[in-house]
Every structure is written in structure tokens, then in C-alpha cells.
Amino acid sequence: MEQINSKYYFYTRHKGLFRICYPKERPPTVETYLSPVETHCMNIDYHVPDPENSTKNFSEDQMTRLNMGRSTIVLFGVAFFVIFIAFWTGVAGCWRRSPGNITATAILILLACLLSAGAMGFWHGVEYYELERVVGEEYYQQWSPELKTHTKSWYDWSFYMAWTGVGFSLVSAILFSGAAICLRGEREREEALNMQYLMPVYPQKQQYAYAGYPAPAAYPGPYYHGSQYGPYNY
């Protein structure tokens, strides 16, 4: 009973990327703070920085889980930064109707999609290690049989929103690619139309025969150059 009251994993909780929150009772031995939505939470320790080298006694599985958790945060951060850049290239492309800017936006959004998908993949890797590997007493493999029997877990709205965001990023990249192709084709048609007005038109010297009149012919020879009476001397 004392262990049940002191260990946080015996309490109902919501776990995210950065913190664990207790919507009902909270463990008295764990230091928590009040979140903006009025729930008591504690931060997840990723050991960054780690000046005391507290991870030196971690097993290989524990370090793998920890590094995948860190990678999840980093990849999401980079993905958000890429989306921020794509926002400005997209605005510039729409304002200027520039196929190059729209193409760059499509590439950036596709990159953000891949980064976000990679982050979600690492998150699922963390979940796998917490369920299937021995990575600490607070995780499934080292729970008591009673705790395993009476524990239920499920994904909440943030999980579905994350994967929905990945999917919409992919759709956005495809749509921007299509827009770039359309703009490029439109520009090529405009350039081809303008070329018709830029081509010079030269008059052609041709001789035509009219009805009732013979076609003009060259003056018959012979031709004499100079005087036929010889040169004159003055």
C-alpha cells in the first residue's frame, strides 16, 4: 500500500512529450505544478543538459529509449521551423505568381512532412521500448501483475492531431506542386503568345503576272559594257 501511494505510475495520468499530468489524484511524493488548464503536472526529464552524468548507469535499452525521445523533440522543432520558412515562400509565391517560389514551398512542406513523420516514428519507438523492453521500474515490463491487469491505456486527441498534421502536410505539398506546374504552363503560354508580336516582318520582293499581260522578263542580251565605238581620247 505504501508503494501505491508513493509511486506515480499507480495513478491515472496523461503523458505527453514534455510532461505527465494527473487529472484526478496526484502522488503526494512527486513534486508537481499547476498547468494552464488547471491540472497538476510534472516535467519529463530528458537529461538535457546532464552535468552530473546521471545517465552513466543506464542500460543500452534505456539509452536507446532516451535518445529516441530526444530525437522526437528535435525533429518536431526542425519541422516547425521549416513550416515557418515555407509560410513566407508561399506568401511570396502567391503574391508574385512565381512558379519557382511555389516549387520551393512544396519542397519545404514535403520536408516538414518527412521530419514530422520521422518524429512520430521515434515516438512510437519510445512507446515500444516502454512496453516491450526493461527500461525502468516505472514501465510496463517491471510492473506488478496486479498493476498490469488493472491498467488501461489509449491514445488521446493530440496523437490523432499529430498524424493528421503529417497527412495534411503531404496533401499540401502535392497541391503546391500542382500549382507550380499550372503557373509554369501559364507563363510558357504567355511567352509564346508574346513572341508572335515580337517577330519582325520583312517585305518580300516578288514579281507577279497578271491576266492579259506577259510576265516580266529580263532584257535580252547581248550586253555591252562601255562604248561600242571604242574609247574617246580628248
Side-chain angles (χ1 to χ4, degrees):
M1 182 62 68
E2 181 180 355
Q3 185 182 20
I4 294 176
N5 292 331
S6 60
K7 301 297 184 180
Y8 78 89
Y9 46 86
F10 283 93
Y11 290 79
T12 300
R13 60 196 179 276
H14 297 159
K15 184 178 180 182
L17 289 178
F18 298 101
R19 60 189 182 185
I20 298 174
C21 296
Y22 302 92
K24 298 179 180 180
E25 298 85 2
R26 65 183 187 275
T29 58
V30 176
E31 184 178 355
T32 60
Y33 60 90
L34 195 62
S35 71
V37 292
E38 301 296 326
T39 56
H40 291 273
C41 303
M42 68 177 190
N43 292 327
I44 297 176
D45 188 8
Y46 287 101
H47 302 277
V48 178
D50 188 17
E52 299 179 358
N53 196 19
S54 57
T55 61
K56 63 181 179 180
N57 295 324
F58 279 17
S59 66
E60 183 179 352
D61 286 342
Q62 287 176 308
M63 285 304 302
T64 301
R65 172 198 162 274
L66 179 61
N67 288 328
M68 285 194 296
R70 293 169 175 173
S71 300
T72 301
I73 303 298
V74 171
L75 287 181
F76 270 128
V78 176
F80 291 148
F81 178 72
V82 172
I83 285 290
F84 177 76
I85 298 175
F87 170 78
W88 293 109
T89 58
V91 169
C94 293
W95 182 266
R96 299 170 53 195
R97 295 179 60 83
S98 169
N101 284 13
I102 298 298
T103 301
T105 303
I107 294 173
L108 288 172
I109 293 181
L110 180 60
L111 177 60
C113 173
L114 296 176
L115 289 170
S116 301
M120 290 300 295
F122 277 123
W123 185 87
H124 282 289
V126 172
E127 181 187 35
Y128 171 79
Y129 268 75
E130 290 178 352
L131 291 176
E132 303 296 335
R133 301 294 182 90
V134 178
V135 290
E137 65 174 1
E138 66 268 31
Y139 300 111
Y140 185 80
Q141 290 298 322
Q142 292 184 255
W143 285 356
S144 63
E146 293 80 9
L147 182 58
K148 291 180 180 179
T149 303
H150 295 88
T151 297
K152 295 181 180 179
S153 61
W154 60 89
Y155 299 122
D156 211 342
W157 62 269
S158 58
F159 170 81
Y160 299 105
M161 287 294 293
W163 274 118
T164 302
V166 173
F168 274 110
S169 297
L170 179 60
V171 173
S172 299
I174 295 173
L175 292 178
F176 270 107
S177 299
I181 294 172
C182 292
L183 285 175
R184 188 171 290 108
E186 180 181 321
R187 175 168 294 184
E188 290 175 355
R189 288 191 297 270
E190 290 179 355
E191 291 177 353
L193 184 62
N194 293 334
M195 283 297 295
Q196 298 179 6
Y197 300 100
L198 296 177
M199 292 180 62
V201 179
Y202 299 102
Q204 298 180 356
K205 296 181 179 180
Q206 295 181 351
Q207 296 178 344
Y208 301 93
Y210 298 94
Y213 297 92
Y219 188 80
Y223 300 97
Y224 300 96
H225 301 280
S227 174
Q228 59 180 327
Y229 300 104
Y232 293 93
N233 295 319
Y234 293 97

